[in-house]
């Protein structure tokens, strides 16, 4: 029989994978495949499986959804996974969350100075910060706290 604690762990691992998948599907379906990150699609012969969908570029909401949300979903996915990996060690969870999140924000800032390719956007940083806060709250109230309740 599967224990309640195992079900909770499985739930958060599946949630992490789904968030990663959701961000990836937005990227695959709405971002230009000329981006360097898509070179693997051509390599495995799957480039035609994902066609860029048309959308009105004048829609601020769609631009936000396509250009900012995926990184936030990926960040939240990683933080939830960190929570499961270090469910009983707040220090380790916070260390890796801060390290990972700082690197994410640093990459965004490096885009501002054109030290790495990409387009800097303050909204990207806001989405990243929100994903960090959400991830920490999920850890605190649903993962860490429950690791001691059985």
């Amino acid at each position: 029989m599967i224990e309640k604690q195992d079900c909770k762990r499985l739930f958060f691992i599946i949630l992490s994978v789904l968030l990663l998948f959701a961000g990836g599907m937005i990227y695959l379906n709405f971002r230009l495949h000329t981006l360097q990150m898509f070179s693997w699609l051509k390599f495995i012969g799957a480039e035609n499986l994902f066609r860029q969908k048309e959308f009105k570029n004048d829609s601020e909401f769609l631009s936000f959804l396509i250009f900012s949300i995926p990184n936030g979903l990926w960040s939240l996915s990683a933080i939830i996974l960190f929570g499961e990996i270090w469910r009983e060690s707040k220090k380790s969870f916070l260390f890796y969350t801060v390290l990972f999140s700082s690197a994410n924000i640093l990459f965004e800032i490096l885009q501002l100075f054109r030290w790495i390719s990409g387009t800097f956007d303050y909204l990207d940083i806001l989405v990243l910060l929100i994903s960090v806060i959400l991830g920490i709250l999920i850890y605190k109230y649903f993962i860490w706290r429950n690791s001691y309740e059985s």
Side-chain angles (χ1 to χ4, degrees), residues 85-110:
I85 292 168
W86 292 289
R87 75 180 302 116
E88 295 175 12
S89 174
K90 265 195 221 182
K91 284 184 181 180
S92 294
F93 166 75
L94 289 173
F95 173 78
Y96 288 105
T97 296
V98 168
L99 182 68
F100 174 77
S101 302
S102 297
N104 263 341
I105 292 170
L106 177 64
F107 285 131
E108 195 61 38
I109 292 169
L110 291 175

mmCIF file of all heavy atoms in Angstrom, residues 85-110:
data_model
loop_
_atom_site.group_PDB
_atom_site.id
_atom_site.type_symbol
_atom_site.label_atom_id
_atom_site.label_comp_id
_atom_site.label_asym_id
_atom_site.label_seq_id
_atom_site.Cartn_x
_atom_site.Cartn_y
_atom_site.Cartn_z
ATOM 1 N N ILE A 85 13.872 17.138 -3.006
ATOM 2 C CA ILE A 85 15.209 16.574 -2.777
ATOM 3 C C ILE A 85 15.685 16.890 -1.362
ATOM 4 O O ILE A 85 16.209 16.026 -0.662
ATOM 5 C CB ILE A 85 16.213 17.104 -3.820
ATOM 6 C CG1 ILE A 85 15.857 16.555 -5.203
ATOM 7 C CG2 ILE A 85 17.646 16.739 -3.437
ATOM 8 C CD1 ILE A 85 16.598 17.218 -6.345
ATOM 9 N N TRP A 86 15.493 18.152 -0.939
ATOM 10 C CA TRP A 86 15.967 18.580 0.385
ATOM 11 C C TRP A 86 14.790 18.868 1.303
ATOM 12 O O TRP A 86 14.783 19.840 2.050
ATOM 13 C CB TRP A 86 16.869 19.803 0.238
ATOM 14 C CG TRP A 86 18.144 19.448 -0.442
ATOM 15 C CD1 TRP A 86 19.162 18.708 0.080
ATOM 16 C CD2 TRP A 86 18.528 19.782 -1.773
ATOM 17 N NE1 TRP A 86 20.159 18.562 -0.852
ATOM 18 C CE2 TRP A 86 19.797 19.213 -1.997
ATOM 19 C CE3 TRP A 86 17.929 20.506 -2.809
ATOM 20 C CZ2 TRP A 86 20.476 19.340 -3.208
ATOM 21 C CZ3 TRP A 86 18.597 20.633 -4.005
ATOM 22 C CH2 TRP A 86 19.850 20.050 -4.190
ATOM 23 N N ARG A 87 13.821 17.976 1.308
ATOM 24 C CA ARG A 87 12.598 18.193 2.082
ATOM 25 C C ARG A 87 12.857 18.282 3.583
ATOM 26 O O ARG A 87 12.112 18.913 4.300
ATOM 27 C CB ARG A 87 11.555 17.137 1.745
ATOM 28 C CG ARG A 87 11.809 15.769 2.349
ATOM 29 C CD ARG A 87 10.737 14.737 1.984
ATOM 30 N NE ARG A 87 9.409 15.147 2.386
ATOM 31 C CZ ARG A 87 8.406 15.404 1.548
ATOM 32 N NH1 ARG A 87 8.580 15.270 0.274
ATOM 33 N NH2 ARG A 87 7.236 15.782 2.005
ATOM 34 N N GLU A 88 13.897 17.673 4.049
ATOM 35 C CA GLU A 88 14.160 17.682 5.488
ATOM 36 C C GLU A 88 15.344 18.568 5.863
ATOM 37 O O GLU A 88 15.807 18.533 6.993
ATOM 38 C CB GLU A 88 14.356 16.251 5.981
ATOM 39 C CG GLU A 88 13.075 15.448 5.837
ATOM 40 C CD GLU A 88 13.221 13.991 6.198
ATOM 41 O OE1 GLU A 88 14.250 13.625 6.786
ATOM 42 O OE2 GLU A 88 12.299 13.232 5.891
ATOM 43 N N SER A 89 15.814 19.358 4.921
ATOM 44 C CA SER A 89 16.932 20.257 5.198
ATOM 45 C C SER A 89 16.625 21.641 4.637
ATOM 46 O O SER A 89 16.867 21.917 3.457
ATOM 47 C CB SER A 89 18.225 19.717 4.568
ATOM 48 O OG SER A 89 19.259 20.657 4.731
ATOM 49 N N LYS A 90 16.082 22.495 5.509
ATOM 50 C CA LYS A 90 15.748 23.855 5.082
ATOM 51 C C LYS A 90 16.974 24.583 4.549
ATOM 52 O O LYS A 90 16.895 25.301 3.562
ATOM 53 C CB LYS A 90 15.198 24.655 6.273
ATOM 54 C CG LYS A 90 13.722 24.681 6.375
ATOM 55 C CD LYS A 90 13.332 25.795 7.341
ATOM 56 C CE LYS A 90 12.223 25.363 8.227
ATOM 57 N NZ LYS A 90 11.796 26.411 9.140
ATOM 58 N N LYS A 91 18.114 24.408 5.228
ATOM 59 C CA LYS A 91 19.336 25.103 4.818
ATOM 60 C C LYS A 91 19.745 24.715 3.403
ATOM 61 O O LYS A 91 20.075 25.581 2.590
ATOM 62 C CB LYS A 91 20.487 24.820 5.789
ATOM 63 C CG LYS A 91 20.396 25.570 7.073
ATOM 64 C CD LYS A 91 21.622 25.296 7.937
ATOM 65 C CE LYS A 91 21.507 26.033 9.253
ATOM 66 N NZ LYS A 91 22.683 25.796 10.103
ATOM 67 N N SER A 92 19.752 23.431 3.110
ATOM 68 C CA SER A 92 20.135 22.982 1.766
ATOM 69 C C SER A 92 19.129 23.473 0.731
ATOM 70 O O SER A 92 19.511 23.951 -0.343
ATOM 71 C CB SER A 92 20.226 21.458 1.708
ATOM 72 O OG SER A 92 21.280 21.003 2.511
ATOM 73 N N PHE A 93 17.839 23.369 1.048
ATOM 74 C CA PHE A 93 16.817 23.848 0.130
ATOM 75 C C PHE A 93 17.020 25.328 -0.176
ATOM 76 O O PHE A 93 17.028 25.732 -1.342
ATOM 77 C CB PHE A 93 15.415 23.617 0.704
ATOM 78 C CG PHE A 93 14.347 24.372 -0.033
ATOM 79 C CD1 PHE A 93 13.919 23.934 -1.277
ATOM 80 C CD2 PHE A 93 13.792 25.523 0.496
ATOM 81 C CE1 PHE A 93 12.945 24.643 -1.976
ATOM 82 C CE2 PHE A 93 12.826 26.236 -0.188
ATOM 83 C CZ PHE A 93 12.394 25.795 -1.426
ATOM 84 N N LEU A 94 17.180 26.135 0.858
ATOM 85 C CA LEU A 94 17.348 27.572 0.648
ATOM 86 C C LEU A 94 18.652 27.891 -0.080
ATOM 87 O O LEU A 94 18.684 28.766 -0.940
ATOM 88 C CB LEU A 94 17.266 28.320 1.975
ATOM 89 C CG LEU A 94 15.868 28.377 2.593
ATOM 90 C CD1 LEU A 94 15.923 28.992 3.980
ATOM 91 C CD2 LEU A 94 14.906 29.150 1.704
ATOM 92 N N PHE A 95 19.723 27.177 0.246
ATOM 93 C CA PHE A 95 21.006 27.412 -0.423
ATOM 94 C C PHE A 95 20.866 27.196 -1.932
ATOM 95 O O PHE A 95 21.241 28.058 -2.728
ATOM 96 C CB PHE A 95 22.098 26.498 0.142
ATOM 97 C CG PHE A 95 23.388 26.581 -0.617
ATOM 98 C CD1 PHE A 95 24.259 27.649 -0.419
ATOM 99 C CD2 PHE A 95 23.722 25.609 -1.551
ATOM 100 C CE1 PHE A 95 25.443 27.743 -1.139
ATOM 101 C CE2 PHE A 95 24.899 25.691 -2.269
ATOM 102 C CZ PHE A 95 25.763 26.759 -2.059
ATOM 103 N N TYR A 96 20.335 26.047 -2.333
ATOM 104 C CA TYR A 96 20.228 25.743 -3.760
ATOM 105 C C TYR A 96 19.172 26.595 -4.455
ATOM 106 O O TYR A 96 19.320 26.946 -5.629
ATOM 107 C CB TYR A 96 19.982 24.247 -3.977
ATOM 108 C CG TYR A 96 21.225 23.461 -3.686
ATOM 109 C CD1 TYR A 96 21.331 22.722 -2.514
ATOM 110 C CD2 TYR A 96 22.315 23.489 -4.547
ATOM 111 C CE1 TYR A 96 22.485 22.015 -2.212
ATOM 112 C CE2 TYR A 96 23.467 22.784 -4.257
ATOM 113 C CZ TYR A 96 23.552 22.060 -3.097
ATOM 114 O OH TYR A 96 24.695 21.370 -2.811
ATOM 115 N N THR A 97 18.118 26.950 -3.748
ATOM 116 C CA THR A 97 17.103 27.833 -4.326
ATOM 117 C C THR A 97 17.683 29.217 -4.591
ATOM 118 O O THR A 97 17.488 29.789 -5.665
ATOM 119 C CB THR A 97 15.873 27.923 -3.397
ATOM 120 O OG1 THR A 97 15.275 26.626 -3.316
ATOM 121 C CG2 THR A 97 14.848 28.917 -3.909
ATOM 122 N N VAL A 98 18.404 29.758 -3.624
ATOM 123 C CA VAL A 98 19.017 31.080 -3.796
ATOM 124 C C VAL A 98 20.088 31.036 -4.883
ATOM 125 O O VAL A 98 20.156 31.936 -5.730
ATOM 126 C CB VAL A 98 19.585 31.605 -2.456
ATOM 127 C CG1 VAL A 98 20.463 32.823 -2.662
ATOM 128 C CG2 VAL A 98 18.444 31.923 -1.490
ATOM 129 N N LEU A 99 20.904 30.006 -4.890
ATOM 130 C CA LEU A 99 21.949 29.876 -5.914
ATOM 131 C C LEU A 99 21.333 29.804 -7.312
ATOM 132 O O LEU A 99 21.723 30.548 -8.220
ATOM 133 C CB LEU A 99 22.791 28.626 -5.638
ATOM 134 C CG LEU A 99 23.954 28.369 -6.585
ATOM 135 C CD1 LEU A 99 25.034 29.428 -6.394
ATOM 136 C CD2 LEU A 99 24.528 26.972 -6.340
ATOM 137 N N PHE A 100 20.357 28.934 -7.491
ATOM 138 C CA PHE A 100 19.687 28.755 -8.783
ATOM 139 C C PHE A 100 18.977 30.036 -9.213
ATOM 140 O O PHE A 100 19.099 30.481 -10.356
ATOM 141 C CB PHE A 100 18.685 27.596 -8.667
ATOM 142 C CG PHE A 100 17.838 27.395 -9.881
ATOM 143 C CD1 PHE A 100 18.351 26.769 -11.004
ATOM 144 C CD2 PHE A 100 16.519 27.813 -9.895
ATOM 145 C CE1 PHE A 100 17.559 26.575 -12.133
ATOM 146 C CE2 PHE A 100 15.727 27.629 -11.009
ATOM 147 C CZ PHE A 100 16.245 27.004 -12.127
ATOM 148 N N SER A 101 18.246 30.648 -8.292
ATOM 149 C CA SER A 101 17.475 31.851 -8.611
ATOM 150 C C SER A 101 18.390 33.034 -8.904
ATOM 151 O O SER A 101 18.107 33.832 -9.805
ATOM 152 C CB SER A 101 16.523 32.187 -7.462
ATOM 153 O OG SER A 101 15.669 31.084 -7.228
ATOM 154 N N SER A 102 19.487 33.144 -8.178
ATOM 155 C CA SER A 102 20.453 34.215 -8.439
ATOM 156 C C SER A 102 21.061 34.061 -9.823
ATOM 157 O O SER A 102 21.241 35.049 -10.549
ATOM 158 C CB SER A 102 21.564 34.211 -7.388
ATOM 159 O OG SER A 102 21.015 34.473 -6.115
ATOM 160 N N ALA A 103 21.363 32.834 -10.210
ATOM 161 C CA ALA A 103 21.909 32.592 -11.558
ATOM 162 C C ALA A 103 20.883 32.975 -12.616
ATOM 163 O O ALA A 103 21.235 33.620 -13.622
ATOM 164 C CB ALA A 103 22.313 31.126 -11.707
ATOM 165 N N ASN A 104 19.622 32.628 -12.402
ATOM 166 C CA ASN A 104 18.565 33.010 -13.346
ATOM 167 C C ASN A 104 18.484 34.523 -13.516
ATOM 168 O O ASN A 104 18.411 35.038 -14.630
ATOM 169 C CB ASN A 104 17.203 32.500 -12.854
ATOM 170 C CG ASN A 104 16.793 31.203 -13.474
ATOM 171 O OD1 ASN A 104 17.311 30.807 -14.510
ATOM 172 N ND2 ASN A 104 15.859 30.544 -12.850
ATOM 173 N N ILE A 105 18.470 35.227 -12.400
ATOM 174 C CA ILE A 105 18.366 36.686 -12.447
ATOM 175 C C ILE A 105 19.634 37.296 -13.030
ATOM 176 O O ILE A 105 19.574 38.256 -13.807
ATOM 177 C CB ILE A 105 18.019 37.248 -11.049
ATOM 178 C CG1 ILE A 105 16.583 36.808 -10.684
ATOM 179 C CG2 ILE A 105 18.165 38.758 -10.998
ATOM 180 C CD1 ILE A 105 16.175 37.062 -9.256
ATOM 181 N N LEU A 106 20.788 36.729 -12.699
ATOM 182 C CA LEU A 106 22.046 37.211 -13.268
ATOM 183 C C LEU A 106 22.052 37.085 -14.789
ATOM 184 O O LEU A 106 22.468 38.015 -15.493
ATOM 185 C CB LEU A 106 23.232 36.445 -12.675
ATOM 186 C CG LEU A 106 24.607 36.814 -13.246
ATOM 187 C CD1 LEU A 106 24.953 38.264 -12.917
ATOM 188 C CD2 LEU A 106 25.668 35.869 -12.706
ATOM 189 N N PHE A 107 21.569 35.960 -15.321
ATOM 190 C CA PHE A 107 21.503 35.797 -16.772
ATOM 191 C C PHE A 107 20.608 36.858 -17.395
ATOM 192 O O PHE A 107 20.903 37.384 -18.465
ATOM 193 C CB PHE A 107 21.004 34.404 -17.154
ATOM 194 C CG PHE A 107 22.039 33.335 -16.967
ATOM 195 C CD1 PHE A 107 21.725 32.176 -16.289
ATOM 196 C CD2 PHE A 107 23.326 33.483 -17.456
ATOM 197 C CE1 PHE A 107 22.669 31.178 -16.102
ATOM 198 C CE2 PHE A 107 24.278 32.495 -17.275
ATOM 199 C CZ PHE A 107 23.951 31.344 -16.599
ATOM 200 N N GLU A 108 19.530 37.181 -16.722
ATOM 201 C CA GLU A 108 18.638 38.220 -17.233
ATOM 202 C C GLU A 108 19.347 39.578 -17.234
ATOM 203 O O GLU A 108 19.266 40.329 -18.204
ATOM 204 C CB GLU A 108 17.364 38.267 -16.380
ATOM 205 C CG GLU A 108 16.230 39.020 -16.997
ATOM 206 C CD GLU A 108 15.736 38.451 -18.311
ATOM 207 O OE1 GLU A 108 15.688 37.212 -18.475
ATOM 208 O OE2 GLU A 108 15.397 39.259 -19.197
ATOM 209 N N ILE A 109 20.067 39.887 -16.173
ATOM 210 C CA ILE A 109 20.798 41.156 -16.091
ATOM 211 C C ILE A 109 21.919 41.212 -17.130
ATOM 212 O O ILE A 109 22.166 42.252 -17.744
ATOM 213 C CB ILE A 109 21.322 41.384 -14.664
ATOM 214 C CG1 ILE A 109 20.132 41.637 -13.714
ATOM 215 C CG2 ILE A 109 22.307 42.544 -14.604
ATOM 216 C CD1 ILE A 109 20.474 41.618 -12.250
ATOM 217 N N LEU A 110 22.585 40.086 -17.360
ATOM 218 C CA LEU A 110 23.639 40.045 -18.382
ATOM 219 C C LEU A 110 23.083 40.339 -19.769
ATOM 220 O O LEU A 110 23.777 40.885 -20.623
ATOM 221 C CB LEU A 110 24.356 38.693 -18.361
ATOM 222 C CG LEU A 110 25.213 38.418 -17.132
ATOM 223 C CD1 LEU A 110 25.769 36.992 -17.173
ATOM 224 C CD2 LEU A 110 26.325 39.427 -16.980
#
